[in-house]
Amino acid sequence: MSILAVGTVALDSIETPFGAEDKVLGGSATYIAFAARYFTPDIRLVGVVGSDFPEEYLTLLRKSGIDLRGLEIDPNGSTFAWAGRYHYDLNERDTLATHLNVLQTFDPIVPEAYRDSRIVCLGNLDPAIQRKVLEQVDEPELVVCDTMNYWIENTPDSLRETLALVDCLIINDAEARELSGEPNLVKAARVIRGMGPHILIIKKGEHGALLFSEDQIFSAPAYPLEDIQDPTGAGDTFAGGFVGYLLHEGTQSPESYKRAVIYGSAMASFSVERFGPRRMVDLTDSEIHARVESFRELSAIPAVTPIYSA
Amino acid sequence: MSILAVGTVALDSIETPFGAEDKVLGGSATYIAFAARYFTPDIRLVGVVGSDFPEEYLTLLRKSGIDLRGLEIDPNGSTFAWAGRYHYDLNERDTLATHLNVLQTFDPIVPEAYRDSRIVCLGNLDPAIQRKVLEQVDEPELVVCDTMNYWIENTPDSLRETLALVDCLIINDAEARELSGEPNLVKAARVIRGMGPHILIIKKGEHGALLFSEDQIFSAPAYPLEDIQDPTGAGDTFAGGFVGYLLHEGTQSPESYKRAVIYGSAMASFSVERFGPRRMVDLTDSEIHARVESFRELSAIPAVTPIYSA
């Protein structure tokens, strides 16, 4: 019952119309792990930080039950740092700075004790780095992967190599269109699934998510939140909730993927309620369950009787 | 069992990446009526055309069972004409020309036989014209209204007067944000419902629709179509299916509004499959029912059991 969360561990500088904070604990591996740990006790993290990484963040991650034996602390560098500013409507953001720092020389070493991880969740990283991790694990039941426009545009061949090894790709709608060259998302999904991932999840932010698996399409709503503080990490939190729930349920089927998409959506809807990962450290089971039930109420279609033309 | 469809009757020139056609039968009243007539035999139309309006279109409308006693034929003018071009992804369009023609002097006269209409569906028109229609009907059970950014920006006071008389407003997400001054759609909905309409439907194109009624929010998916020929009239078709189904069901409740949103969405999903209103003239009851069931499969969340933290 183990999940390997791979990705960045970052210090974020975030500006939204509702506030600004520096050196916020962030990164894809962080958000994946924070969400997944509500579903299983065995969350393993592979990533790298620099000598400037605050001890209190290491403590917070450990206290959350996240296994940090795979987190390299590079004494000669600084932690990956990202700075971004969200627009008024929170649907768009400008990246103000990206300092790769220790990520530039990151050569992931997966601890021996992690080789048997059942689900591997690859946060957004250089596709070559993602493959290096996959080479160091035995046969996981599921490999889930995120990527972004940068890799689609700059390392398309390497990305293809990684996609061939992936069971489930999670990307947003713009990335799906760019990766496939198809504006129509149904056609785009077919093209992308032809590259390897038999499951595709297209995230649409405030519009929810689409799941393509076998011959089914599932449309998940977004939770209509009135107060969004900070969308940072929502996509990674989604991925963490998705893999966490799947491992918890212990089965893989079109039905369990649908449920997992709802759990992922629920976890993401919590994450955006506060700055950084703050909301993710103290959720309760009943809060999570109530939010999942809200998704059901939000999208349930009451029974209909057939109409007959006049 | 009667619906009064009010709005434009137009000759459209449409360009999409998949073709181009001139003098296509269009207009909001046309699409509303074409969709609603699958649900009730008594569809009444109020609008105006010019002397150039093709006889074959009048025949088509009549053959579809639409009562045209309220369609004025102005011998001194030309029919309202709209020309638009859709972009590659079909989610955006440029309006190339708008010739108001006979609409400029349109002073709607509602025939005496229409005064008892049970549902009035006001397509996008000058809000003052929309009010003139409402003044000429007895007490309808439901007044549904569409509008657009032009009236929000140019006749805000007149629009407010109309909204105070409306039960249900159907607009898109950009219009909801502009009308309310709120980027958050949940907050926007509260502001707009304070203006009069106790039901608000926010259309989001390829992302579905949100329904706000009483203290409920309902999120309807969009049907994932692979081949979209022409999005023209999709919003009006949605409105026609919505009012048609509501009249057919004969009750008004948060549950019936949800069902009506799905019927509206289903009708709109048919409409975009062909140029102009072509797909709307020969649908069958079983096609409509099957499409509605597809919406249910698309968004049904399989039962979940609560999770418990690790």
Side-chain angles (χ1 to χ4, degrees):
Chain A
M1 294 287 279
S2 51
I3 288 174
L4 179 55
V6 183
T8 55
V9 178
L11 295 175
D12 289 340
S13 292
I14 303 164
E15 283 180 48
T16 82
F18 311 110
E21 285 192 35
D22 276 335
K23 304 208 176 199
V24 181
L25 174 57
S28 57
T30 302
Y31 282 101
I32 292 167
F34 270 136
R37 66 112 182 170
Y38 285 96
F39 302 87
T40 175
D42 195 350
I43 306 290
R44 305 154 176 191
L45 190 146
V46 162
V48 61
V49 294
S51 56
D52 60 337
F53 193 70
E55 186 61 35
E56 63 170 296
Y57 286 169
L58 291 172
T59 305
L60 177 63
L61 288 160
R62 280 200 197 93
K63 267 181 55 186
S64 301
I66 298 163
D67 183 338
L68 296 185
R69 282 178 290 176
L71 180 65
E72 180 191 341
I73 299 177
D74 183 338
N76 303 313
S78 298
T79 304
F80 169 60
W82 175 82
R85 181 189 292 140
Y86 290 87
H87 295 203
Y88 180 49
D89 73 0
L90 295 173
N91 291 317
E92 287 188 59
R93 74 178 181 197
D94 298 320
T95 291
L96 303 177
T98 304
H99 300 292
L100 291 178
N101 297 335
V102 294
L103 265 191
Q104 279 179 290
T105 54
F106 181 44
D107 189 11
I109 297 170
V110 177
E112 188 62 31
Y114 286 13
R115 294 195 70 99
D116 65 350
S117 296
R118 290 212 0 223
I119 296 183
V120 177
C121 189
L122 300 166
N124 171 45
L125 278 176
D126 182 332
I129 302 286
Q130 293 176 322
R131 280 198 306 283
K132 277 197 179 172
V133 170
L134 293 181
E135 285 161 11
Q136 298 176 64
V137 292
D138 301 332
E139 288 176 24
E141 290 172 14
L142 191 75
V143 176
V144 176
C145 179
D146 188 6
T147 192
M148 69 181 291
N149 56 346
Y150 182 84
W151 311 113
I152 296 171
E153 291 158 19
N154 293 291
T155 65
D157 295 337
S158 177
L159 177 59
R160 288 295 196 98
E161 267 189 74
T162 296
L163 289 181
L165 307 172
V166 159
D167 299 298
C168 173
L169 179 66
I170 305 180
I171 50 179
N172 71 33
D173 45 355
E175 290 159 354
R177 291 188 162 109
E178 191 170 4
L179 176 59
S180 65
E182 265 293 346
N184 181 291
L185 291 181
V186 183
K187 289 181 183 168
R190 187 174 306 128
V191 171
I192 292 168
R193 292 175 71 204
M195 298 175 184
H198 62 94
I199 310 163
L200 172 66
I201 297 172
I202 299 180
K203 297 174 289 185
K204 303 191 297 175
E206 65 160 351
H207 303 300
L210 293 173
L211 161 72
F212 300 81
S213 72
E214 298 188 11
D215 58 350
Q216 289 202 332
I217 306 178
F218 174 58
S219 173
Y223 190 73
L225 285 166
E226 263 194 74
D227 290 298
I228 299 176
Q229 290 287 320
D230 174 15
T232 307
D236 302 308
T237 306
F238 174 94
F242 178 80
V243 294
Y245 177 80
L246 269 187
L247 191 74
H248 176 84
E249 181 170 320
T251 55
Q252 284 189 41
S253 69
E255 300 295 284
S256 59
Y257 300 143
K258 290 181 187 177
R259 285 190 283 263
V261 163
I262 296 300
Y263 273 93
S265 303
M267 299 308 278
S269 76
F270 284 121
S271 180
V272 302
E273 290 180 342
R274 300 277 184 285
F275 256 81
R278 204 160 290 162
R279 187 75 173 93
M280 299 310 293
V281 299
D282 60 357
L283 286 172
T284 66
D285 294 345
S286 61
E287 282 179 311
I288 296 170
H289 187 59
R291 184 63 57 92
V292 166
E293 285 309 301
S294 298
F295 272 83
R296 184 182 306 285
E297 284 165 31
L298 180 66
S299 61
I301 302 172
V304 295
T305 44
I307 59 108
Y308 298 99
S309 285
Chain B
M1 294 287 279
S2 51
I3 288 174
L4 179 54
V6 183
T8 55
V9 178
L11 295 176
D12 290 339
S13 293
I14 303 164
E15 283 179 50
T16 82
F18 312 110
E21 284 192 36
D22 275 335
K23 303 208 176 200
V24 180
L25 172 58
S28 55
T30 302
Y31 282 101
I32 293 168
F34 270 135
R37 67 113 181 167
Y38 285 96
F39 301 89
T40 175
D42 195 349
I43 305 290
R44 304 153 176 191
L45 189 148
V46 163
V48 62
V49 294
S51 55
D52 59 338
F53 193 71
E55 187 63 34
E56 64 169 295
Y57 287 168
L58 291 172
T59 305
L60 177 64
L61 287 161
R62 279 199 199 93
K63 267 181 54 187
S64 302
I66 298 163
D67 183 338
L68 296 185
R69 282 177 291 174
L71 180 65
E72 181 190 341
I73 300 177
D74 183 338
N76 302 313
S78 300
T79 304
F80 168 61
W82 175 82
R85 179 189 294 140
Y86 290 87
H87 295 204
Y88 179 50
D89 73 359
L90 295 172
N91 291 316
E92 287 186 60
R93 73 179 182 197
D94 299 320
T95 291
L96 303 176
T98 305
H99 300 292
L100 290 177
N101 296 336
V102 293
L103 264 191
Q104 278 179 294
T105 53
F106 181 42
D107 189 10
I109 295 169
V110 177
E112 188 63 31
Y114 286 13
R115 294 196 68 100
D116 64 351
S117 297
R118 288 210 4 220
I119 296 182
V120 178
C121 190
L122 300 166
N124 172 46
L125 277 175
D126 183 332
I129 302 285
Q130 291 176 323
R131 281 199 304 285
K132 276 197 178 171
V133 171
L134 293 181
E135 285 161 10
Q136 298 175 65
V137 292
D138 301 332
E139 289 177 24
E141 289 171 16
L142 190 75
V143 176
V144 176
C145 179
D146 187 6
T147 191
M148 67 180 292
N149 56 344
Y150 182 86
W151 311 114
I152 295 171
E153 290 157 19
N154 293 291
T155 65
D157 295 338
S158 177
L159 178 59
R160 288 293 196 101
E161 266 188 74
T162 296
L163 289 181
L165 307 171
V166 160
D167 298 298
C168 174
L169 180 65
I170 303 180
I171 51 180
N172 70 34
D173 45 354
E175 291 158 354
R177 292 189 161 108
E178 190 170 5
L179 177 58
S180 65
E182 267 291 346
N184 181 290
L185 291 180
V186 183
K187 289 181 183 168
R190 188 174 308 127
V191 171
I192 292 167
R193 293 175 69 205
M195 297 175 184
H198 62 95
I199 310 164
L200 172 66
I201 297 170
I202 299 180
K203 297 174 289 185
K204 303 191 297 176
E206 65 159 352
H207 302 301
L210 292 173
L211 162 71
F212 299 82
S213 73
E214 298 190 11
D215 58 352
Q216 289 201 334
I217 306 178
F218 173 59
S219 175
Y223 191 73
L225 285 166
E226 264 195 73
D227 290 297
I228 299 176
Q229 291 286 321
D230 174 16
T232 306
D236 302 309
T237 305
F238 174 95
F242 178 81
V243 295
Y245 177 80
L246 269 186
L247 191 75
H248 176 83
E249 180 169 320
T251 54
Q252 285 189 40
S253 69
E255 300 295 285
S256 59
Y257 300 144
K258 290 181 189 179
R259 284 189 281 264
V261 164
I262 296 298
Y263 273 94
S265 303
M267 299 308 277
S269 77
F270 284 120
S271 181
V272 303
E273 290 179 341
R274 299 277 184 284
F275 256 82
R278 203 160 291 161
R279 187 74 174 91
M280 300 310 295
V281 299
D282 60 357
L283 285 172
T284 66
D285 294 345
S286 61
E287 282 178 312
I288 296 171
H289 187 59
R291 185 62 58 94
V292 166
E293 285 309 301
S294 298
F295 273 82
R296 183 183 305 286
E297 283 163 33
L298 181 65
S299 61
I301 302 173
V304 294
T305 44
I307 59 107
Y308 299 100
S309 283

